[in-house]
Amino acid sequence: MAAPSVFLLAVSGEIESGEFPGFDDLYCKFSFVYGQDWVPTAGLEEGISQITSKSSVSPTTLVWNFPIDITFKSTNPFGWPQIVLSVYGPDFFGHDVVRGYGAVHVPFVPGRHKRTIAMFVPESTSRLQQLTSWFTGRRPEFTDPKVVAQGEGREVTRVRSQGFVTVSFNVITKDLHKLGYDVGQ
């Protein structure tokens, strides 16, 4: 039997919940970012959750429990997939504004994993821009949220930490070891 030329990475799980003090009625968008040698073979590369509100049972937590499920194939691990999250919600005037961006690599080791992602928002560079953006409802945001998963140009972006999102991953790999890659136990 011929040796495999690709390996598979199957990822399922869910965007479980978020904590954004002072905010309510938020929804989450996700997308996967990966290298040029990676090809999605099944599942969804991006999605958008329902709007969730805080409850009296858990007044600080927003629960999405939004499923993720995707399978990739690749010839090498360079460009290992990352999930990029963008959380949005209404401002004082009812406009949808970004409440947080964050990204994390899909875990390398097969099994069940839980990750808490620190979220951040871009900030205006001057007080005048802050005031103008507040009145117009046009807060600073990335035109492409996938820039969060890349390093280029990020060193000049002013951001502020704001909230956390918890994501659970169920990771399965196939033929990774047969191609000479050892990810441990």
Side-chain angles (χ1 to χ4, degrees), residues 29-94:
K29 293 182 180 180
F30 78 90
S31 60
F32 284 93
V33 176
Y34 45 87
Q36 62 185 5
D37 293 335
W38 290 79
V39 177
T41 59
L44 296 175
E45 289 182 60
E46 55 187 32
I48 185 169
S49 76
Q50 75 280 4
I51 295 174
T52 188
S53 299
K54 295 176 181 171
S55 71
S56 58
V57 175
S58 180
T60 61
T61 304
L62 298 150
V63 178
W64 288 292
N65 287 336
F66 191 73
I68 54 175
D69 188 14
I70 191 165
T71 302
F72 295 96
K73 71 177 179 178
S74 181
T75 56
N76 72 64
F78 181 76
W80 193 270
Q82 299 179 62
I83 188 169
V84 175
L85 303 175
S86 309
V87 176
Y88 296 87
D91 66 1
F92 181 75
F93 299 110

Side-chain angles (χ1 to χ4, degrees), residues 122-131 133 140 156-159:
E123 286 215 313
S124 299
T125 55
S126 72
R127 293 279 184 215
L128 179 60
Q129 285 177 331
Q130 287 176 347
L131 186 63
S133 67
V156 295
T157 306
R158 183 181 293 189
V159 297

Side-chain angles (χ1 to χ4, degrees), residues 2 11 19-20 27 42 45 77 83 92 107 112 116 119 122 144 153 171:
V11 182
E19 292 190 23
F20 290 84
Y27 63 94
E45 289 182 60
I83 188 169
F92 181 75
R112 181 160 174 78
T116 300
M119 306 295 280
D144 182 8
V171 178

Side-chain angles (χ1 to χ4, degrees), residues 5-6 11 19-21 23 25 47 63 65 95 98 122 153 158 164 183:
S5 60
V6 298
V11 182
E19 292 190 23
F20 290 84
F23 299 112
D25 300 328
V63 178
N65 287 336
H95 301 113
V98 67
R158 183 181 293 189
F164 296 91
V183 293

